[in-house]
């Protein structure tokens, strides 16, 4: 059991910030790692990336968008409520080294896990450039936080309502043409990470991506999260979740992510019908 | 001589086990074998010859006093019978169901030399179930608390047994379990229809009553390291189990519809996917399900698939039925339920359509010369490829060592396959005070052998802590 100490709506209508009491996890957790939660006895186990780690206050933070049944159930929880099962920290941490210049690329609400990564790279003496993109300015999150840690924050929006009009990859290419980078790291939807990896390839910049396949146990036991990297099968939960973006078989990953689309949709629709009152609040 | 032991005639065959009709049970998740009634148990117990030098006990990895408990059943003293069993075996309701008795106690049974051996497993199950049904579960006799703390990593059969034995000796035991539910393979691996989860929960409740603390969601190696454990505890037992599922590294293995048996069984057993959508975890319910492998896990997988609604369940195995590592009983249960056996065949690739499995391409095999383990080598027959249409494929081809604990524990010696190396006698690893046992030492084996390892380690831990504390006292 873990208590929700703080909950905030950080992007209307469905992206929430949660601060959770987890003294043991926060003590050990490193940037790039994730936790698995289960909300109730009938619930599923879902992996969530760490959006912040605070060992001094014994907390971890998660940013969750209510996109399906479990995440919507989570959004119905309030401060003071308990999360039935919280397991972690899982996965390998981001390799933090002093490299020179590190560009962190995030799309939509997927930018959040890069926040502890940005802090760690900065603390290790790197120049940190953050490129964050969204369809429109009202969908951007975590901008003040990144402004605080990064040397530079570049914003892109598809509709041009903030920053540069275009995609994160447009900004990334411009940046790589102008300045040297020693590492690019991308977190977000698979298709975006694939584009980032394609964009950096001609520049020969090492590119790390954080993969988000379907998981069950998160300890390597089930193999459900297997991904193909450099022609080899790897388990994202134990070997990853970070891999070399230039070596990932993206087609297989995206196909596997669609495995339960129908069941997920049915389950969410049923839940919405039953819980319309929660959604109306 | 006692009159009861001089029966005029002994039944040549085991008293049959009542079970659900194959056609019915293949469509539900209720337990297949229903268990003996008191009359059946008495009838079966009467077959035991009460040997003076019982070989059956030697065949049991935890040395249950078999003739003794059977005699108590025969005399109608069920309370005494269960107490005798529990002196040696914490999990009789589990072992009575899943132990391969035909290779252990029953293999050694003298009666079995001429006729069918005594159905020891069924009697063990009977007496354990009797205790549960009559709510007479008593705490075992326990030594006074000795103030020493032991950590057990993993709550599968090895860890549970080790914890049980040490708690009895007066230790304060804390079990760390990575999943949200204790029980390890008993919970996530073995299906409900073979081992109802209520039974596992019941056994674990007893441990808790004995004062054993179970911490769930605690992944050792990630949340806490072995080094940290050793700073707080007097000794530690690692029983983390078999670990990573193995795949065949053939084309198409990452298509949708291909599962490892670990994932398929975990979704159903631990996460109750068979009750989806009431439970949130989904599983693909195939119409034609191919399971690759010939072990108990393969049988569990194919029988689970039938219960999820598969029209056809097919076992693909590279050798013949005679070489299958699964228990005979499991093979015949699967057959009765309509599972098709495609022996002497091995998958060469999985063919997909639009990202989903469409068929499995296999090659015919023939048996060649015996290998080092005595089993004849399976050799592919050139040009004999054929396809089996399938929408779900389950790989039940074994496991590899899970590296989570080793990766985070400096100085923990491993063998070439990544399993933990231990002293054969004591179960101690290369780190002083850290013991290990079960599948993380041996690779995939049985519930009872893991329990045997847990028991051996408990003894050695007791000796180690006792000696260690005397040394510390001397040096003070």
């Amino acid at each position: 059991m873990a208590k929700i100490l703080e909950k905030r709506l950080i992007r209307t209508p469905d992206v929430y910030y949660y601060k959770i009491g987890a003294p043991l996890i926060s003590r050990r957790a490193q940037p790039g790692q994730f936790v698995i939660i289960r909300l109730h006895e009938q619930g599923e186990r879902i992996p969530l990336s760490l959006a912040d780690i605070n060992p001094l206050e014994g907390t971890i933070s998660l940013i969750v968008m209510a996109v399906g049944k479990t995440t919507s159930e989570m959004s119905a929880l309030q401060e003071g409520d308990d999360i039935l099962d919280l397991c972690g920290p899982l996965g390998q941490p981001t390799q933090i080294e002093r490299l020179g210049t590190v560009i962190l690329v995030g799309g939509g609400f997927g930018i959040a896990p890069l926040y502890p990564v940005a802090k760690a790279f900065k603390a290790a003496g790197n120049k940190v450039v953050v490129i964050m993109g969204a369809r429109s300015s009202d969908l951007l999150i975590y901008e003040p936080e990144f402004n605080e840690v990064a040397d530079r924050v570049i914003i892109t929006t598809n509709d041009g309502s903030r920053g540069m009009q275009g995609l994160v990859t447009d900004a990334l290419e411009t940046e790589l043409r102008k300045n040297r980078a020693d590492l690019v790291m991308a977190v977000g939807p698979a298709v975006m990470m694939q584009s980032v990896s394609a964009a950096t390839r001609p520049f020969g910049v090492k590119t790390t991506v954080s993969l988000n396949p379907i998981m069950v146990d998160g300890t390597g036991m089930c193999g459900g999260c297997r991904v193909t990297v450099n022609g080899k099968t790897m388990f994202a939960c134990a070997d990853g979740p970070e891999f070399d973006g230039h070596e990932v078989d993206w087609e297989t990953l995206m196909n596997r992510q669609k495995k339960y689309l129908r069941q997920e949709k049915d389950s969410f629709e049923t839940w919405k019908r039953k819980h319309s009152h929660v959604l109306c609040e | 001589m006692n009159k009861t032991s001089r029966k005029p005639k002994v039944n040549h065959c085991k008293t049959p086990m009542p079970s659900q009709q194959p056609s019915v049970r293949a469509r539900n998740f209720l337990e297949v074998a229903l268990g003996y009634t008191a009359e059946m148990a008495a009838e079966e117990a009467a077959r035991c010859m009460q040997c003076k030098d019982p070989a059956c006990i030697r065949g049991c990895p935890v040395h249950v006093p078999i003739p003794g408990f059977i005699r108590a059943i025969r005399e109608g003293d069920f309370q005494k019978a269960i107490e005798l069993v529990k002196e040696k075996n914490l999990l009789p309701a589990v072992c009575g169901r899943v132990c391969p008795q035909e290779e252990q106690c029953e293999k050694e049974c003298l009666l079995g030399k001429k006729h069918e051996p005594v159905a020891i497993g069924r009697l063990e199950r009977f007496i354990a179930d009797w205790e549960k049904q009559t709510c007479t579960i008593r705490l075992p006799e326990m030594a006074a608390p000795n103030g020493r703390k032991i950590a057990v990593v993993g709550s599968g059969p090895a860890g549970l047994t080790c914890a049980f034995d040490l708690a009895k000796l007066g230790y304060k035991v804390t079990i760390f379990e990575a999943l949200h539910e204790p029980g390890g393979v008993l919970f996530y691996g073995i299906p409900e229809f073979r081992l109802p989860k209520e039974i596992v929960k019941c056994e674990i409740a007893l441990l808790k009553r004995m004062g054993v603390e179970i911490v769930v969601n605690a992944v050792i190696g990630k949340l806490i390291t072995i080094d940290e454990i050793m700073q707080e505890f007097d000794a530690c037992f690692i029983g983390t189990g078999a670990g990573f599922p193995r795949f065949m590294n053939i084309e198409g293995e990452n298509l949708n519809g291909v599962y490892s048996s670990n994932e398929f069984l975990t979704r159903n057993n631990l996460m109750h996917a068979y009750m989806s959508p009431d439970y949130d975890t989904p599983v693909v319910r195939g119409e034609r399900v191919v399971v690759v492998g010939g072990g108990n896990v393969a049988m569990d997988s194919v029988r689970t698939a039938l219960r999820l609604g598969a029209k056809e369940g097919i076992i693909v195995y590279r050798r013949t039925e005679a070489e299958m590592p699964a228990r005979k009983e499991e093979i015949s249960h699967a057959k009765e339920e309509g599972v098709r056996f495609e022996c002497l065949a091995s998958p060469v690739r999985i063919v997909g359509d639009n990202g989903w499995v469409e068929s499995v391409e296999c090659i015919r095999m023939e048996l060649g010369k015996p290998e080092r383990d005595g089993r004849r080598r399976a050799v592919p027959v050139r040009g004999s490829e054929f396809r089996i249409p399938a929408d779900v494929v389950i790989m039940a081809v074994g496991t590899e060592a899970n590296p989570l604990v080793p990766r985070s524990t400096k100085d923990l010696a491993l063998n070439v396959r990544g399993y933990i190396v231990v002293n054969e006698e004591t179960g101690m690893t290369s780190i002083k005070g850290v013991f290990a046992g079960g599948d993380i030492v041996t690779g995939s084996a049985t519930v009872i052998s893991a329990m045997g390892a847990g028991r051996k380690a408990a003894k050695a831990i007791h000796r180690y802590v006792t000696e260690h504390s005397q040394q510390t006292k001397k040096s003070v």
Side-chain angles (χ1 to χ4, degrees):
Chain A
M1 289 261 232
K3 200 169 282 301
I4 299 176
L5 303 175
E6 193 186 326
K7 180 196 172 197
R8 272 185 288 137
L9 179 68
I10 61 164
R11 193 180 88 184
T12 315
D14 53 10
V15 179
Y16 290 91
Y17 167 93
Y18 303 84
K19 185 184 274 185
I20 296 163
L24 273 180
I25 296 178
S26 70
R27 191 184 58 114
R28 264 234 117 66
Q30 301 290 319
Q33 290 189 298
F34 63 94
V35 291
I36 280 188
I37 63 151
R38 191 178 72 125
L39 296 177
H40 50 78
E41 281 304 329
Q42 285 76 38
E44 59 181 341
R45 294 168 65 97
I46 60 162
L48 297 169
S49 301
L50 292 170
D52 207 357
I53 306 155
N54 193 332
L56 288 177
E57 43 168 59
T59 63
I60 55 164
S61 303
L62 305 170
I63 304 277
V64 185
M65 182 159 126
V67 284
K69 184 184 173 198
T70 302
T71 47
S72 297
E73 283 175 330
M74 185 153 174
S75 71
L77 295 178
Q78 303 301 332
E79 286 182 4
D81 285 348
D82 283 316
I83 289 172
L84 177 62
D85 294 297
L86 175 68
C87 179
L90 299 168
Q92 303 294 326
T94 308
Q95 266 198 322
I96 305 289
E97 294 166 90
R98 185 174 182 164
L99 299 165
T101 301
V102 177
I103 304 179
L104 304 177
V105 189
F109 86 105
I111 187 85
L114 281 173
Y115 178 57
V117 174
K119 282 202 282 190
F121 272 120
K122 187 66 200 165
N126 294 283
K127 184 180 168 201
V128 176
V129 178
V130 173
I131 301 176
M132 52 198 289
R135 283 197 310 280
S136 164
S137 66
D138 54 339
L139 298 177
L140 289 163
I141 62 161
Y142 257 50
E143 197 189 329
E145 283 84 350
F146 281 109
N147 272 325
E148 218 164 273
V149 280
D151 293 271
R152 241 173 345 121
V153 176
I154 302 167
I155 291 172
T156 68
T157 50
N158 300 26
D159 61 3
S161 53
R162 267 303 297 285
M164 172 184 164
Q165 178 168 16
L167 303 169
V168 283
T169 40
D170 300 328
L172 177 62
E173 278 167 356
T174 311
E175 183 63 22
L176 288 175
R177 267 195 294 271
K178 279 195 296 192
N179 299 309
R180 172 196 154 82
D182 301 282
L183 175 74
V184 170
M185 185 170 161
V187 180
V191 62
M192 171 270 206
M193 293 190 282
Q194 180 187 28
S195 311
V196 167
S197 304
T200 57
R201 196 188 288 273
F203 295 94
V205 183
K206 185 173 174 217
T207 303
T208 304
V209 292
S210 180
L211 302 186
N212 47 357
I214 296 166
M215 290 184 187
V216 185
D217 65 295
T219 64
M221 187 266 283
C222 86
C225 67
R226 60 193 189 276
V227 289
T228 311
V229 181
N230 199 15
K232 280 206 287 276
T233 292
M234 307 289 261
F235 295 165
C237 71
D239 302 316
E242 291 175 11
F243 294 100
D244 185 334
H246 297 146
E247 295 184 339
V248 170
D249 176 346
W250 294 101
E251 213 176 294
T252 304
L253 174 74
M254 286 187 255
N255 181 52
R256 287 181 65 79
Q257 284 176 332
K258 287 187 288 196
K259 192 165 178 181
Y260 299 107
L261 229 45
R262 186 181 54 76
Q263 288 98 322
E264 284 161 5
K265 195 168 159 269
D266 289 352
S267 153
F268 191 29
E269 292 303 322
T270 313
W271 185 84
K272 276 197 282 195
R273 274 199 300 278
K274 278 192 204 155
H275 293 81
S276 48
H277 60 284
V278 177
L279 296 172
C280 292
E281 271 169 18
Chain B
M1 205 189 237
N2 186 320
K3 260 186 187 168
T4 50
S5 62
R6 208 194 310 135
K7 282 259 169 183
K9 214 170 78 190
V10 172
N11 283 337
H12 291 183
C13 297
K14 288 179 178 178
T15 310
M17 180 70 138
S19 62
Q20 281 197 69
Q21 283 299 317
S23 59
V24 176
R25 72 183 194 229
R27 299 291 159 194
N28 70 50
F29 277 88
L30 302 176
E31 197 170 12
V32 167
L34 302 171
Y36 278 166
T37 60
E39 292 72 37
M40 292 172 186
E43 185 186 328
E44 185 59 24
R47 296 181 64 229
C48 174
M49 301 196 295
Q50 295 289 311
C51 305
K52 281 222 174 62
D53 178 23
C56 51
I57 300 183
R58 288 197 294 276
C60 172
V62 296
H63 309 301
V64 168
I66 293 163
F69 95 79
I70 293 182
R71 187 191 182 110
I73 291 179
R74 190 190 288 183
E75 289 165 354
D77 191 348
F78 295 162
Q79 186 59 44
K80 184 179 166 195
I82 188 65
E83 276 165 19
L84 282 169
V85 172
K86 282 202 156 173
E87 262 176 29
K88 297 288 183 187
N89 185 354
L90 159 72
L91 308 171
V94 173
C95 292
R97 288 171 165 83
V98 304
C99 263
Q101 290 99 7
E102 64 280 2
E103 287 167 25
Q104 297 172 344
C105 53
E106 292 181 17
K107 187 182 181 186
E108 304 296 330
C109 175
L110 209 59
L111 189 65
K113 305 292 170 208
K114 264 178 96 173
H115 312 297
E116 275 187 12
V118 176
I120 300 168
R122 294 173 185 178
L123 288 172
E124 183 182 31
R125 170 184 163 159
F126 164 77
I127 202 64
D129 288 358
W130 170 82
E131 188 192 33
K132 285 189 176 44
Q133 280 150 14
T134 53
C135 302
T136 51
I137 300 182
R138 292 182 194 171
L139 284 185
E141 223 169 279
M142 290 173 65
N146 61 17
R148 300 273 163 189
K149 289 160 68 185
I150 311 291
V152 169
V153 183
S155 64
L160 291 178
T161 307
C162 190
F164 174 80
D165 283 5
L166 290 167
K168 261 200 334 190
L169 289 166
Y171 290 89
K172 174 78 191 106
V173 183
T174 305
I175 302 182
F176 296 99
E177 166 57 44
L179 294 170
H180 58 260
E181 192 79 60
V185 73
L186 306 176
F187 213 97
Y188 74 75
I190 303 177
E192 179 76 18
F193 56 84
R194 208 148 73 79
L195 177 64
K197 299 304 152 234
E198 274 313 308
I199 285 173
V200 182
K201 284 186 179 169
C202 193
E203 310 281 25
I204 286 163
L206 176 68
L207 260 187
K208 287 186 181 165
R209 275 172 61 201
M210 290 168 66
V212 173
E213 190 190 348
I214 303 182
V215 185
V216 294
N217 297 316
V219 183
I220 301 307
K222 290 287 183 190
L223 184 67
I224 308 167
T225 62
I226 297 290
D227 291 350
E228 286 173 316
I229 283 179
M230 288 308 286
Q231 284 164 25
E232 212 179 299
F233 292 85
D234 293 285
C236 162
F237 175 76
I238 304 172
T240 47
F244 279 35
R246 193 178 289 155
F247 288 92
M248 294 183 75
N249 295 316
I250 55 174
E251 186 190 321
E253 233 170 355
N254 291 344
L255 284 164
N256 285 343
V258 183
Y259 285 106
S260 74
S261 49
N262 274 11
E263 182 186 359
F264 185 71
L265 292 172
T266 300
R267 282 181 179 272
N268 281 292
N269 302 333
L270 176 71
M271 305 308 297
H272 303 95
Y274 67 92
M275 288 196 266
S276 67
D278 290 340
Y279 280 73
D280 292 338
T281 303
V283 68
V284 179
R285 293 170 184 250
E287 293 229 324
R288 289 173 58 88
V289 178
V290 166
V291 177
V292 182
N296 290 323
V297 173
M299 301 304 146
D300 284 346
S301 302
V302 75
R303 294 172 70 199
T304 298
L306 287 183
R307 284 157 175 79
L308 285 172
K311 292 205 175 76
E312 199 165 11
I314 304 151
I315 288 276
V316 170
Y317 181 59
R318 61 196 168 133
R319 295 190 174 95
T320 72
E321 201 182 305
E323 283 86 14
M324 278 190 182
R327 295 181 64 191
K328 293 280 164 292
E329 188 181 312
E330 301 306 324
I331 296 172
S332 63
H333 273 149
K335 281 191 165 167
E336 286 164 16
E337 289 168 15
V339 172
R340 194 177 112 199
F341 282 64
E342 192 67 71
C343 290
L344 289 170
S346 183
V348 286
R349 71 182 177 118
I350 299 168
V351 185
D353 176 31
N354 207 10
W356 285 83
V357 173
E358 183 256 307
S359 65
V360 185
E361 187 169 305
C362 298
I363 190 162
R364 278 280 159 227
M365 308 293 275
E366 57 188 12
L367 291 184
K369 292 212 174 83
E371 285 186 295
R372 228 181 296 165
D373 63 359
R375 290 194 302 179
R376 290 173 66 191
R377 191 190 159 98
V379 195
V381 179
R382 253 167 97 195
S384 67
E385 286 86 351
F386 65 103
R387 282 191 188 185
I388 307 174
D391 49 6
V392 166
V393 177
I394 300 165
M395 292 292 174
V397 291
T399 53
E400 281 159 22
N402 187 322
L404 284 196
V405 168
R407 265 184 200 165
S408 64
T409 316
K410 255 195 327 185
D411 306 329
L412 186 67
L414 308 175
N415 67 19
V416 283
R417 293 186 304 147
Y419 293 105
I420 299 175
V421 176
V422 297
N423 177 309
E424 288 253 333
E425 288 296 303
T426 64
M428 193 168 355
T429 66
S430 55
I431 302 173
K432 223 176 135 193
V434 178
F435 298 73
D439 284 4
I440 190 60
V441 169
T442 57
S444 312
T446 59
V447 167
I448 191 74
S449 65
M451 289 175 63
R455 162 141 309 150
K456 197 159 82 175
K459 257 190 210 158
I461 288 172
H462 182 46
R463 202 162 49 231
Y464 166 82
V465 174
T466 312
E467 281 168 15
H468 202 69
S469 64
Q470 274 160 1
Q471 276 167 13
T472 341
K473 271 177 203 155
K474 268 180 219 157
S475 64
V476 169

